[in-house]
Amino acid sequence: MKKIFSTLFMALTAVAMMAQQPVITFEKTEHDFGKINEADGRVSTVFEFKNEGMAPLILSNVRASCGCTTPTWTKEPIEPGKTGTITVTYNPNGRPGRFQKTVTITSNASEATKRVYIKGEVIPKAAKPANKYTISVGALSMKSKTLDLGTITKGESKSGELEYANLTKEDHHVELSAYITNQVTLADIKPEQTGKFIFVIDTKDPKMYGPQEGYAYVVIDGKKEIDEAHKLTIKANVVEDFSGLTVEQKQQAPIIEVPAEFNAGKIAKGKNLKFYFPIKNIGANALEIRRVYAADKALNVKQPKAVKSGKKGNVGVEINTKDMTPGAYGREVVVITNDYLNPIKRVKINFVVE
């Protein structure tokens, strides 16, 4: 009997002690910020709580699950029936996308640990011009200094543009010193403004076939500097259009025969190696040589005249070995003709520098 009375007394005592403890309750335990802009900076929300117990409520610690989330809270004791607040601030800088964070509250309440939550989605800030215009050209900044216009059919013209920006704090005047047709859209450019260099390649010149390059130099505030830092390169590949040939013209068309490889022999270092390789026309009409070139500047080529039906011509080549080390080499010579089936032929030149 005494044991039962003792147990009942302890239970009643525990209930009495719990009744005298503080009790923490929240109006809300979750906040959705929705979509927020990274560029707008920190956002905050307030969680209000109430002490519904019989003793003062003390928050001993409030901590967030991430350093991007900062809580501040009522530090003084909250008397029974009174309220306090926890302000939670989220920093979206450098954190695009969805997020969900937890804030843990530790107190002397009957439920010693409580949690509240924040969530939302960060819309990333727009890229600044400095992130796009990364190449310095004097006082200007550009995305690229090279414009590739791709393939152009012979006789046509094609235009393209290169963008520039003024990322300085001063006004500037912009011009171009160019070898091809060009236009500057914003000559007097203020800070944060952008403009365009527009270039046109016209292929009516009868000698324009194959890869082409043109150059321009950016002139800023009247100061003309012909150097790599201010140089712009404009590229294109000019091809002949054979789509209009009739059946008869195709039957009478020239046909080129040229070796895929040519062995030029040996040469002592520092000497020039001169030789010829043959071109033959086995078609009916004359084979017109549009262009012969080598990408390697150590090779100089001499273009032959048109080759009549059944005849041969010779492509002259001179190799300057001044800057070459001893060893075996393979270099390419490109021949462009009016053979509609094979307008471009490549000949590999093999030689040895001793």
Side-chain angles (χ1 to χ4, degrees):
M1 188 67 177
K2 287 182 178 180
K3 188 175 181 180
I4 295 174
F5 178 78
S6 176
T7 302
L8 181 59
F9 176 78
M10 291 176 65
L12 291 172
T13 302
V15 171
M17 290 179 64
M18 289 180 64
Q20 293 177 3
Q21 279 186 292
V23 177
I24 186 170
T25 60
F26 284 86
E27 281 192 350
K28 63 177 182 179
T29 58
E30 182 178 286
H31 179 76
D32 187 351
F33 285 106
K35 292 184 177 182
I36 60 175
N37 294 314
E38 181 185 1
D40 293 339
R42 292 175 172 85
V43 290
S44 298
T45 187
V46 176
F47 292 93
E48 187 173 291
F49 61 90
K50 185 177 182 180
N51 180 6
E52 294 187 343
M54 301 297 291
L57 171 65
I58 300 172
L59 274 55
S60 56
N61 191 26
V62 179
R63 66 182 186 278
S65 59
C66 172
C68 58
T69 305
T70 306
T72 58
W73 64 95
T74 304
K75 300 294 197 302
E76 62 272 11
I78 309 299
E79 296 297 328
K82 300 297 182 181
T83 60
T85 59
I86 298 172
T87 301
V88 179
T89 301
Y90 180 72
N91 183 3
N93 188 39
R95 300 177 178 89
R98 295 185 179 278
F99 67 91
Q100 182 166 341
K101 306 298 175 183
T102 302
V103 177
T104 303
I105 302 103
T106 305
S107 71
N108 65 334
S110 56
E111 189 177 351
T113 302
K114 295 282 284 184
R115 290 180 177 85
V116 294
Y117 307 91
I118 61 169
K119 64 181 181 179
E121 182 181 359
V122 177
I123 307 303
K125 62 180 75 172
K128 296 181 180 178
N131 295 334
K132 297 189 296 182
Y133 301 91
T134 58
I135 302 173
S136 296
V137 182
L140 295 183
S141 297
M142 300 184 67
K143 294 179 180 179
S144 173
K145 293 171 62 180
T146 301
L147 172 63
D148 192 340
L149 293 174
T151 300
I152 306 177
T153 302
K154 184 71 177 67
E156 296 181 348
S157 64
K158 193 173 183 179
S159 65
E161 58 192 36
L162 289 173
E163 294 184 33
Y164 59 89
N166 180 7
L167 303 183
T168 71
K169 296 181 179 180
E170 300 176 349
D171 296 355
H172 294 288
H173 181 76
V174 183
E175 301 174 65
L176 278 178
S177 175
Y179 303 107
I180 62 175
T181 304
N182 67 85
Q183 177 189 351
V184 180
T185 63
L186 192 61
D188 295 305
I189 184 168
K190 298 182 180 299
E192 299 301 323
Q193 285 188 324
T194 60
K196 296 177 182 178
F197 297 128
I198 299 175
F199 299 95
V200 180
I201 287 186
D202 190 333
T203 65
K204 293 179 182 179
D205 185 334
K207 296 181 180 180
M208 288 187 73
Y209 287 93
Q212 308 289 326
E213 281 195 7
Y215 304 101
Y217 293 89
V218 182
V219 181
I220 302 172
D221 299 329
K223 188 176 182 180
K224 186 176 181 180
E225 298 184 72
I226 308 299
D227 57 21
E228 287 298 319
H230 294 79
K231 181 180 178 181
L232 307 180
T233 302
I234 298 85
K235 298 180 178 181
N237 183 39
V238 181
V239 298
E240 192 164 356
D241 183 8
F242 297 103
S243 62
L245 293 179
T246 64
V247 173
E248 183 181 356
Q249 287 174 323
K250 289 180 179 180
Q251 291 172 343
Q252 297 296 315
I255 301 173
I256 186 174
E257 275 193 353
V258 65
E261 292 193 38
F262 185 84
N263 185 11
K266 300 179 180 179
I267 185 68
K269 176 177 168 51
K271 300 293 184 177
N272 284 8
L273 177 62
K274 297 181 180 181
F275 59 92
Y276 296 90
F277 67 81
I279 290 179
K280 186 177 181 180
N281 177 14
I282 61 172
N285 287 333
L287 179 71
E288 296 178 10
I289 312 300
R290 303 301 196 199
R291 184 184 176 192
V292 180
Y293 69 93
D296 192 330
K297 293 182 180 180
L299 276 67
N300 291 318
V301 296
K302 185 176 181 181
Q303 182 171 318
K305 296 179 180 180
V307 181
K308 294 181 180 180
S309 175
K311 301 296 182 180
K312 290 184 179 180
N314 290 313
V315 175
V317 183
E318 181 176 6
I319 302 175
N320 185 344
T321 66
K322 178 182 176 182
D323 297 322
M324 295 183 179
T325 57
Y329 287 84
R331 294 293 185 265
E332 188 176 76
V333 173
V334 181
V335 181
I336 302 176
T337 70
N338 65 332
D339 177 349
Y340 81 96
L341 289 175
N342 297 286
I344 299 175
K345 299 291 284 185
R346 303 178 188 275
V347 182
K348 184 181 179 184
I349 308 298
N350 299 314
F351 60 98
V352 177
V353 178
E354 298 181 323

